[in-house]
Amino acid sequence: MTDVNVKTFDELDDYAGQFLYAGKGLGVTAWGMNVERLPAHWDEFPHHDHAENGQEEVYVVIDGDATLHADGQTWHLERGTLARVGPKQKRKIVPGEKGVTLLAIGGTPGKAYEPKKA
């Protein structure tokens, strides 16, 4: 039996239509992974860190653009850009004029990933 799972974004379960459970939908168990579809200038993205669980994150811009805010600095993220953010770093992402679609990948260094239970 082939061990392949293929889905479109529209086939993934989501939270509020913006946060698509990509890892869960594909059956990924080695790391966390979501697709985030954020509308233009949406300011509700939480200013957060992952100090409690030690998870680092990588954001990959699939479409659109956004600004990453961290520790008083900003980075413009556009299609094809990757950004890694450490676990203790507070961060906030603000989508640009046309919104942004991000692939967010996370894991805790040195610790086996434990998928959230449904």
Side-chain angles (χ1 to χ4, degrees):
M1 181 174 199
T2 304
D3 188 10
V4 175
N5 196 346
V6 177
K7 302 262 183 161
T8 67
F9 290 170
D10 293 335
E11 294 174 302
L12 299 172
D13 290 337
D14 66 80
Y15 172 75
Q18 293 176 288
F19 298 93
L20 311 176
Y21 301 125
K24 180 180 173 184
L26 291 171
V28 174
T29 58
W31 62 84
M33 181 171 68
N34 292 314
V35 172
E36 301 175 359
R37 288 177 164 170
L38 309 177
H41 305 292
W42 189 65
D43 65 356
E44 299 298 315
F45 191 91
H47 186 243
H48 74 288
D49 62 38
H50 289 280
E52 185 175 304
N53 63 15
Q55 177 177 283
E56 62 184 350
E57 289 184 313
V58 171
Y59 300 103
V60 182
V61 181
I62 297 170
D63 194 31
D65 72 307
T67 301
L68 169 63
H69 299 267
D71 205 22
Q73 296 184 46
T74 60
W75 295 265
H76 181 73
L77 308 179
E78 58 190 10
R79 187 172 188 261
T81 303
L82 300 101
R84 179 211 166 263
V85 182
K88 295 179 182 176
Q89 180 63 62
K90 285 209 179 274
R91 84 291 309 254
K92 182 176 178 83
I93 294 174
V94 178
E97 289 289 322
K98 295 182 181 177
V100 69
T101 300
L102 302 167
L103 176 63
I105 304 165
T108 303
K111 181 179 175 190
Y113 178 72
E114 296 178 22
K116 291 182 181 179
K117 298 196 175 24

